[in-house]
Each structure stands twice: as C-alpha cells, then as structure tokens.
Short mmCIF file of all heavy atoms in Angstrom, two decimals:
data_model
loop_
_atom_site.label_atom_id
_atom_site.label_comp_id
_atom_site.label_asym_id
_atom_site.label_seq_id
_atom_site.Cartn_x
_atom_site.Cartn_y
_atom_site.Cartn_z
N ALA A 175 1.21 11.94 2.18
CA ALA A 175 -0.19 11.89 2.58
C ALA A 175 -0.59 13.18 3.31
O ALA A 175 0.18 13.73 4.09
CB ALA A 175 -0.46 10.69 3.48
N SER A 176 -1.82 13.64 3.05
CA SER A 176 -2.36 14.80 3.74
C SER A 176 -3.86 14.62 3.92
O SER A 176 -4.46 13.73 3.32
CB SER A 176 -2.06 16.09 2.97
OG SER A 176 -2.64 16.07 1.68
N GLY A 177 -4.48 15.47 4.75
CA GLY A 177 -5.90 15.37 5.01
C GLY A 177 -6.18 14.64 6.31
O GLY A 177 -5.55 14.91 7.32
N SER A 178 -7.11 13.68 6.28
CA SER A 178 -7.54 12.94 7.47
C SER A 178 -6.57 11.81 7.79
O SER A 178 -6.93 10.63 7.79
CB SER A 178 -8.96 12.40 7.27
OG SER A 178 -9.88 13.44 7.03
N ILE A 179 -5.33 12.18 8.08
CA ILE A 179 -4.27 11.19 8.30
C ILE A 179 -4.53 10.36 9.56
O ILE A 179 -4.07 9.22 9.65
CB ILE A 179 -2.91 11.90 8.36
CG1 ILE A 179 -2.66 12.67 7.07
CG2 ILE A 179 -1.79 10.89 8.61
CD1 ILE A 179 -1.39 13.51 7.10
N PHE A 180 -5.27 10.89 10.51
CA PHE A 180 -5.56 10.17 11.74
C PHE A 180 -6.27 8.85 11.49
O PHE A 180 -6.20 7.94 12.32
CB PHE A 180 -6.41 11.04 12.68
CG PHE A 180 -7.77 11.36 12.14
CD1 PHE A 180 -8.85 10.53 12.38
CD2 PHE A 180 -7.98 12.49 11.38
CE1 PHE A 180 -10.11 10.81 11.88
CE2 PHE A 180 -9.23 12.80 10.87
CZ PHE A 180 -10.30 11.94 11.12
N SER A 181 -6.97 8.72 10.35
CA SER A 181 -7.72 7.52 10.04
C SER A 181 -6.87 6.43 9.40
O SER A 181 -7.36 5.33 9.16
CB SER A 181 -8.89 7.85 9.11
OG SER A 181 -8.43 8.31 7.85
N ILE A 182 -5.60 6.69 9.12
CA ILE A 182 -4.72 5.76 8.42
C ILE A 182 -3.84 4.99 9.40
O ILE A 182 -3.26 5.58 10.30
CB ILE A 182 -3.81 6.51 7.43
CG1 ILE A 182 -4.63 7.26 6.39
CG2 ILE A 182 -2.85 5.54 6.75
CD1 ILE A 182 -3.79 8.18 5.52
N ASN A 183 -3.74 3.68 9.20
CA ASN A 183 -2.72 2.92 9.91
C ASN A 183 -1.97 1.97 8.98
O ASN A 183 -1.16 1.16 9.44
CB ASN A 183 -3.28 2.17 11.12
CG ASN A 183 -4.12 0.97 10.76
OD1 ASN A 183 -4.48 0.76 9.61
ND2 ASN A 183 -4.45 0.18 11.78
N ALA A 184 -2.21 2.07 7.67
CA ALA A 184 -1.51 1.25 6.70
C ALA A 184 -1.41 1.99 5.38
O ALA A 184 -2.35 2.69 4.97
CB ALA A 184 -2.21 -0.09 6.50
N MET A 185 -0.29 1.84 4.70
CA MET A 185 -0.11 2.40 3.37
C MET A 185 0.56 1.35 2.50
O MET A 185 1.24 0.46 3.00
CB MET A 185 0.73 3.67 3.41
CG MET A 185 0.07 4.81 4.18
SD MET A 185 1.01 6.36 4.14
CE MET A 185 0.79 6.83 2.40
N GLY A 186 0.34 1.47 1.19
CA GLY A 186 0.89 0.46 0.30
C GLY A 186 1.17 0.99 -1.09
O GLY A 186 0.80 2.12 -1.44
N TRP A 187 1.85 0.16 -1.86
CA TRP A 187 2.12 0.43 -3.26
C TRP A 187 1.53 -0.69 -4.11
O TRP A 187 1.69 -1.87 -3.79
CB TRP A 187 3.63 0.52 -3.53
CG TRP A 187 4.28 1.74 -2.98
CD1 TRP A 187 4.93 1.87 -1.79
CD2 TRP A 187 4.35 3.03 -3.62
NE1 TRP A 187 5.41 3.15 -1.65
CE2 TRP A 187 5.07 3.88 -2.76
CE3 TRP A 187 3.89 3.53 -4.83
CZ2 TRP A 187 5.33 5.22 -3.07
CZ3 TRP A 187 4.14 4.86 -5.14
CH2 TRP A 187 4.85 5.68 -4.27
N TYR A 188 0.86 -0.31 -5.18
CA TYR A 188 0.36 -1.22 -6.20
C TYR A 188 0.88 -0.77 -7.55
O TYR A 188 1.32 0.36 -7.70
CB TYR A 188 -1.17 -1.23 -6.21
CG TYR A 188 -1.82 -1.94 -5.04
CD1 TYR A 188 -1.86 -1.34 -3.79
CD2 TYR A 188 -2.38 -3.20 -5.19
CE1 TYR A 188 -2.45 -1.98 -2.71
CE2 TYR A 188 -2.98 -3.84 -4.12
CZ TYR A 188 -3.01 -3.23 -2.88
OH TYR A 188 -3.60 -3.87 -1.82
N ARG A 189 0.81 -1.64 -8.55
CA ARG A 189 1.22 -1.25 -9.89
C ARG A 189 0.29 -1.87 -10.92
O ARG A 189 -0.33 -2.89 -10.67
CB ARG A 189 2.67 -1.65 -10.17
CG ARG A 189 2.91 -3.14 -10.31
CD ARG A 189 4.39 -3.43 -10.51
NE ARG A 189 4.65 -4.83 -10.79
CZ ARG A 189 5.86 -5.36 -10.93
NH1 ARG A 189 6.94 -4.59 -10.80
NH2 ARG A 189 5.99 -6.65 -11.19
N GLN A 190 0.21 -1.24 -12.09
CA GLN A 190 -0.60 -1.74 -13.18
C GLN A 190 0.10 -1.49 -14.50
O GLN A 190 0.40 -0.36 -14.86
CB GLN A 190 -1.98 -1.07 -13.18
CG GLN A 190 -2.93 -1.68 -14.20
CD GLN A 190 -4.37 -1.21 -14.00
OE1 GLN A 190 -4.61 -0.15 -13.45
NE2 GLN A 190 -5.31 -2.01 -14.45
N ALA A 191 0.37 -2.57 -15.23
CA ALA A 191 0.95 -2.50 -16.55
C ALA A 191 -0.15 -2.51 -17.60
O ALA A 191 -1.26 -3.01 -17.34
CB ALA A 191 1.90 -3.67 -16.77
N PRO A 192 0.10 -1.98 -18.80
CA PRO A 192 -0.92 -1.97 -19.85
C PRO A 192 -1.46 -3.36 -20.14
O PRO A 192 -0.70 -4.31 -20.32
CB PRO A 192 -0.18 -1.40 -21.06
CG PRO A 192 0.90 -0.56 -20.47
CD PRO A 192 1.34 -1.30 -19.23
N GLY A 193 -2.79 -3.50 -20.17
CA GLY A 193 -3.42 -4.76 -20.46
C GLY A 193 -3.45 -5.75 -19.32
O GLY A 193 -3.92 -6.88 -19.50
N LYS A 194 -2.95 -5.37 -18.14
CA LYS A 194 -2.92 -6.26 -16.99
C LYS A 194 -3.68 -5.64 -15.82
O LYS A 194 -3.86 -4.43 -15.76
CB LYS A 194 -1.49 -6.58 -16.57
CG LYS A 194 -0.67 -7.31 -17.62
CD LYS A 194 0.71 -7.66 -17.11
CE LYS A 194 1.50 -8.45 -18.14
NZ LYS A 194 2.86 -8.79 -17.64
N GLN A 195 -4.10 -6.49 -14.88
CA GLN A 195 -4.80 -5.99 -13.71
C GLN A 195 -3.82 -5.43 -12.69
O GLN A 195 -2.63 -5.75 -12.69
CB GLN A 195 -5.65 -7.10 -13.08
CG GLN A 195 -4.87 -8.26 -12.52
CD GLN A 195 -5.77 -9.34 -11.95
OE1 GLN A 195 -6.99 -9.31 -12.11
NE2 GLN A 195 -5.18 -10.30 -11.26
N ARG A 196 -4.34 -4.58 -11.82
CA ARG A 196 -3.54 -4.00 -10.75
C ARG A 196 -3.06 -5.09 -9.80
O ARG A 196 -3.83 -6.00 -9.45
CB ARG A 196 -4.36 -2.96 -10.00
CG ARG A 196 -3.60 -2.20 -8.93
CD ARG A 196 -4.52 -1.18 -8.27
NE ARG A 196 -5.66 -1.83 -7.63
CZ ARG A 196 -6.70 -1.20 -7.13
NH1 ARG A 196 -6.77 0.13 -7.18
NH2 ARG A 196 -7.70 -1.87 -6.56
N GLU A 197 -1.80 -5.01 -9.37
CA GLU A 197 -1.26 -6.01 -8.47
C GLU A 197 -0.56 -5.36 -7.28
O GLU A 197 -0.02 -4.26 -7.37
CB GLU A 197 -0.28 -6.94 -9.20
CG GLU A 197 0.97 -6.26 -9.72
CD GLU A 197 1.96 -7.23 -10.33
OE1 GLU A 197 1.90 -8.44 -10.02
OE2 GLU A 197 2.81 -6.79 -11.13
N LEU A 198 -0.56 -6.07 -6.17
CA LEU A 198 0.11 -5.61 -4.96
C LEU A 198 1.62 -5.61 -5.14
O LEU A 198 2.19 -6.55 -5.70
CB LEU A 198 -0.26 -6.50 -3.79
CG LEU A 198 0.53 -6.30 -2.49
CD1 LEU A 198 0.16 -4.97 -1.84
CD2 LEU A 198 0.29 -7.45 -1.52
N VAL A 199 2.28 -4.57 -4.65
CA VAL A 199 3.74 -4.51 -4.58
C VAL A 199 4.20 -4.72 -3.14
O VAL A 199 4.94 -5.65 -2.84
CB VAL A 199 4.29 -3.18 -5.13
CG1 VAL A 199 5.80 -3.12 -4.95
CG2 VAL A 199 3.91 -3.01 -6.60
N ALA A 200 3.75 -3.84 -2.23
CA ALA A 200 4.16 -3.93 -0.83
C ALA A 200 3.22 -3.12 0.05
O ALA A 200 2.57 -2.18 -0.42
CB ALA A 200 5.60 -3.42 -0.65
N ILE A 201 3.16 -3.48 1.34
CA ILE A 201 2.34 -2.79 2.33
C ILE A 201 3.16 -2.56 3.58
O ILE A 201 3.99 -3.40 3.95
CB ILE A 201 1.08 -3.62 2.68
CG1 ILE A 201 0.15 -3.72 1.47
CG2 ILE A 201 0.33 -3.01 3.87
CD1 ILE A 201 -0.99 -4.70 1.66
N ILE A 202 2.93 -1.43 4.25
CA ILE A 202 3.56 -1.16 5.53
C ILE A 202 2.53 -0.56 6.48
O ILE A 202 1.70 0.25 6.08
CB ILE A 202 4.79 -0.23 5.38
CG1 ILE A 202 5.56 -0.14 6.69
CG2 ILE A 202 4.37 1.15 4.88
CD1 ILE A 202 6.95 0.46 6.53
N THR A 203 2.56 -0.98 7.76
CA THR A 203 1.67 -0.45 8.77
C THR A 203 2.38 0.63 9.57
O THR A 203 3.60 0.79 9.50
CB THR A 203 1.18 -1.55 9.72
OG1 THR A 203 2.31 -2.15 10.39
CG2 THR A 203 0.43 -2.62 8.95
N ARG A 204 1.61 1.38 10.37
CA ARG A 204 2.16 2.50 11.12
C ARG A 204 3.24 2.05 12.10
O ARG A 204 4.18 2.79 12.37
CB ARG A 204 1.05 3.24 11.87
CG ARG A 204 1.48 4.59 12.43
CD ARG A 204 0.35 5.26 13.18
NE ARG A 204 -0.78 5.56 12.32
CZ ARG A 204 -0.90 6.65 11.57
NH1 ARG A 204 0.07 7.56 11.57
NH2 ARG A 204 -1.98 6.84 10.82
N ASP A 205 3.13 0.81 12.61
CA ASP A 205 4.13 0.30 13.54
C ASP A 205 5.27 -0.43 12.84
O ASP A 205 6.10 -1.06 13.51
CB ASP A 205 3.48 -0.59 14.60
CG ASP A 205 2.82 -1.83 14.02
OD1 ASP A 205 2.79 -1.96 12.78
OD2 ASP A 205 2.31 -2.66 14.80
N GLY A 206 5.33 -0.35 11.50
CA GLY A 206 6.49 -0.83 10.78
C GLY A 206 6.42 -2.24 10.23
O GLY A 206 7.41 -2.71 9.64
N ARG A 207 5.31 -2.94 10.39
CA ARG A 207 5.18 -4.28 9.80
C ARG A 207 5.06 -4.16 8.29
O ARG A 207 4.42 -3.25 7.77
CB ARG A 207 3.97 -5.00 10.36
CG ARG A 207 4.09 -5.38 11.83
CD ARG A 207 2.79 -5.99 12.33
NE ARG A 207 1.72 -5.00 12.34
CZ ARG A 207 0.43 -5.29 12.32
NH1 ARG A 207 0.03 -6.56 12.27
NH2 ARG A 207 -0.47 -4.32 12.35
N THR A 208 5.68 -5.09 7.55
CA THR A 208 5.69 -5.04 6.09
C THR A 208 5.21 -6.35 5.49
O THR A 208 5.28 -7.42 6.10
CB THR A 208 7.10 -4.74 5.56
OG1 THR A 208 8.02 -5.74 6.00
CG2 THR A 208 7.57 -3.38 6.04
N LYS A 209 4.73 -6.26 4.25
CA LYS A 209 4.30 -7.41 3.47
C LYS A 209 4.66 -7.14 2.01
O LYS A 209 4.44 -6.04 1.52
CB LYS A 209 2.79 -7.63 3.62
CG LYS A 209 2.25 -8.79 2.80
CD LYS A 209 0.75 -8.92 2.98
CE LYS A 209 0.18 -10.06 2.15
NZ LYS A 209 -1.28 -10.19 2.32
N TYR A 210 5.21 -8.15 1.33
CA TYR A 210 5.61 -8.00 -0.06
C TYR A 210 4.99 -9.08 -0.93
O TYR A 210 4.80 -10.22 -0.48
CB TYR A 210 7.13 -8.11 -0.20
CG TYR A 210 7.91 -7.02 0.49
CD1 TYR A 210 8.33 -7.16 1.80
CD2 TYR A 210 8.23 -5.84 -0.19
CE1 TYR A 210 9.05 -6.15 2.43
CE2 TYR A 210 8.95 -4.84 0.43
CZ TYR A 210 9.36 -5.01 1.75
OH TYR A 210 10.08 -4.01 2.36
#
C-alpha cells in the first residue's frame, strides 16, 4: 500500500472466479484482528 495510508485501518483479500461474483477471503485490521 502507498499514498494516503493514514486513512487505512483495515485491509483485506477478495477473489472472483469467471462467471461468479466477488467473494470475501479474509480481512485484517491494523491492530491484528482477523476475519475469514
């Protein structure tokens, strides 16, 4: 990540297969909390 990083406190991964909608993979917050 670069740019206005000060505005971020969460990052995540999503995925999309052909013919399917985008789906959540995982999320992590700046303090280390995760969701899958």
Side-chain angles (χ1 to χ4, degrees):
S176 61
S178 301
I179 302 174
F180 64 89
S181 65
I182 300 171
N183 73 350
M185 296 184 70
W187 289 96
Y188 287 75
R189 70 184 186 184
Q190 187 168 25
K194 297 184 178 180
Q195 65 182 9
R196 185 179 61 189
E197 65 175 339
L198 170 70
V199 176
I201 294 170
I202 189 165
T203 60
R204 193 181 297 275
D205 62 356
R207 291 175 293 158
T208 59
K209 178 181 179 180
Y210 296 90

